[in-house]
């Protein structure tokens, strides 16, 4: 094979070099948005490990949330049949066009992952799946995104995501009933804050949730189950009774009585 034929399309590994990334972003007049959780990966070992670990080969494709400049997207395109990446920030589209040029198995879709019709997307882009999810999630919606993916009846095999270390412990820990109900979670590897541009205040970790074929317990009303699970952990600094009362619109004494009945009075 000639050198030309061997050459991979797009920017590939060059995106992990801080200098090259700064040059690219500067040329496109891009400034990081803190409110969109934009901390881009610059550690060259992380994306190949995530792409390798996410189970792409066994699926019809990979759904990525928030491709940023495409550093993980590019790695996924090397191992997956198809990659569909949902990005909210339209300023990144010209950048992605450049960095993923020639990556014919990648499609970037504009949208908010919390609002998109994901079932339709999986049907249209992946012929109904099965798919896996791989992403460096924007930290401000880590739990909502994961809960949404678990709650909807999507043909998902696994979810491999970068989250802040505290969120990794919370999501993989025993308190995360919704996660354990739908999946078997584990922490894959830690990632230091210096692996990102700009560096966040805390370290991160990559976790993988393997979707169960059957839930471990029988639940009479799944929609209600997920509402309760979301409500109980929505406000981290509040007690479970306060959180549940405001999330479900049920008076606090009633919630307290229900929690006491299951031995969880005073839970946080
Ligand atoms: N994947 C890139 C990387 O690893 O360097 C970027 C990850 S950065 C932590 C999160 C990305 O999610 C950003 O590109 C941001 O614009 C995007 N994003 C934020 N909120 C989003 C939303 N609601 N829906 C889709 N993408 C979103």
């Amino acid at each position: 094979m000639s050198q030309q034929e061997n050459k991979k399309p797009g920017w590939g590994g060059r995106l992990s070099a801080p200098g090259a990334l700064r040059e690219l972003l500067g040329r496109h007049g891009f400034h990081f948005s803190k409110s969109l959780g934009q901390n881009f990966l610059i550690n060259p070992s992380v994306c190949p490990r995530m792409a390798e670990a996410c189970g792409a080969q066994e699926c019809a494709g990979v759904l990525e949330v928030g491709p940023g400049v495409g550093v993980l997207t590019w790695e996924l395109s090397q191992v997956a049949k198809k990659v569909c990446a949902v990005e909210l920030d339209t300023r990144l589209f010209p950048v992605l066009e450049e960095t993923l040029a020639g990556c014919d198995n990648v499609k970037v879709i504009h949208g908010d992952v919390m609002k998109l019709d994901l079932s339709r997307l999986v049907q249209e882009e992946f012929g109904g799946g099965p798919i896996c999810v791989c992403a460096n999630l924007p930290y401000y919606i880590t739990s909502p995104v994961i809960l949404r993916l678990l709650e909807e009846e999507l043909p998902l095999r696994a979810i491999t995501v970068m989250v802040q270390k505290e969120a990794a412990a919370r999501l993989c820990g025993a308190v995360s009933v919704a996660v354990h109900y739908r999946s078997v979670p584990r922490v894959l590897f830690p990632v230091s804050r210096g692996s990102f541009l700009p560096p966040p205040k805390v370290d991160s970790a990559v976790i993988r949730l393997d979707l169960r074929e059957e839930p471990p317990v029988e639940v009479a009303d799944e929609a209600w189950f997920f509402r309760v699970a979301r409500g109980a952990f929505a406000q981290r600094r509040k007690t479970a009774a306060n959180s549940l009362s405001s999330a479900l619109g049920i008076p606090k004494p009633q919630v307290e009585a229900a929690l006491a009945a299951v031995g969880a009075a005073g839970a946080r």
Side-chain angles (χ1 to χ4, degrees):
M1 198 184 273
S2 76
Q3 245 189 340
Q4 191 56 34
E5 281 165 326
N6 223 350
K7 196 168 169 277
K8 298 205 166 138
W11 271 52
R14 274 192 296 151
L15 276 170
S16 298
L21 180 58
R22 280 203 188 89
E23 184 279 322
L24 172 77
L25 295 177
R27 195 154 35 77
H28 284 273
F30 179 86
H31 296 282
F32 293 98
S33 159
K34 210 173 167 188
S35 63
L36 285 180
Q38 290 176 342
N39 302 94
F40 296 165
L41 268 164
I42 49 164
N43 178 335
S45 72
V46 175
C47 293
R49 280 179 86 181
M50 287 181 76
E52 187 65 31
C54 75
Q57 278 101 342
E58 297 95 64
C59 291
V62 182
L63 173 65
E64 186 190 2
V65 178
V69 298
V71 63
L72 175 61
T73 325
W74 188 89
E75 291 295 341
L76 291 170
S77 79
Q78 306 303 302
V79 295
K81 289 188 190 78
K82 181 173 180 178
V83 183
C84 196
V86 176
E87 175 58 61
L88 181 58
D89 190 346
T90 50
R91 296 174 307 152
L92 288 164
F93 280 65
V95 182
L96 287 163
E97 222 165 274
E98 179 177 339
T99 58
L100 300 173
C103 295
D104 299 330
N105 60 346
V106 175
K107 182 166 178 181
V108 181
I109 291 179
H110 176 232
D112 180 340
V113 68
M114 292 307 294
K115 294 187 184 147
L116 271 185
D117 183 340
L118 294 176
S119 299
R120 193 167 146 193
L121 185 149
V122 173
Q123 197 54 49
E124 287 177 359
E125 301 299 336
F126 300 107
I131 64 155
C132 60
V133 170
C134 189
N136 172 13
L137 288 178
Y139 71 91
Y140 76 102
I141 44 169
T142 300
S143 295
V145 171
I146 292 176
L147 283 178
R148 174 154 198 229
L149 291 169
L150 294 173
E151 193 171 347
E152 295 201 10
E153 297 286 326
L154 298 170
L156 270 180
R157 286 271 169 83
I159 302 171
T160 303
V161 281
M162 170 92 66
V163 299
Q164 294 195 332
K165 228 172 172 180
E166 188 202 41
R170 203 169 59 243
L171 286 159
C172 296
V175 292
S176 193
V177 278
V179 169
H180 284 270
Y181 177 71
R182 274 273 198 262
S183 72
V184 179
R186 67 198 147 112
V187 177
L188 293 186
F189 55 92
V191 179
S192 72
R193 65 195 79 179
S195 300
F196 301 88
L197 186 76
K201 287 198 177 72
V202 295
D203 293 328
S204 291
V206 175
I207 62 172
R208 175 170 159 152
L209 315 180
D210 284 293
L211 277 285
R212 296 176 189 271
E213 276 176 24
E214 293 292 333
V217 290
E218 211 173 300
V219 165
D221 181 345
E222 275 198 351
W224 181 251
F225 169 79
F226 276 101
R227 264 188 80 186
V228 173
R230 226 179 305 120
F233 303 108
Q235 292 147 306
R236 262 178 285 155
R237 269 167 275 280
K238 281 193 177 183
T239 61
N242 275 328
S243 294
L244 281 169
S245 171
S246 56
L248 304 173
I250 298 175
K252 197 175 157 197
Q254 228 171 299
V255 175
E256 281 171 338
L259 286 171
V262 295
R268 279 188 180 270

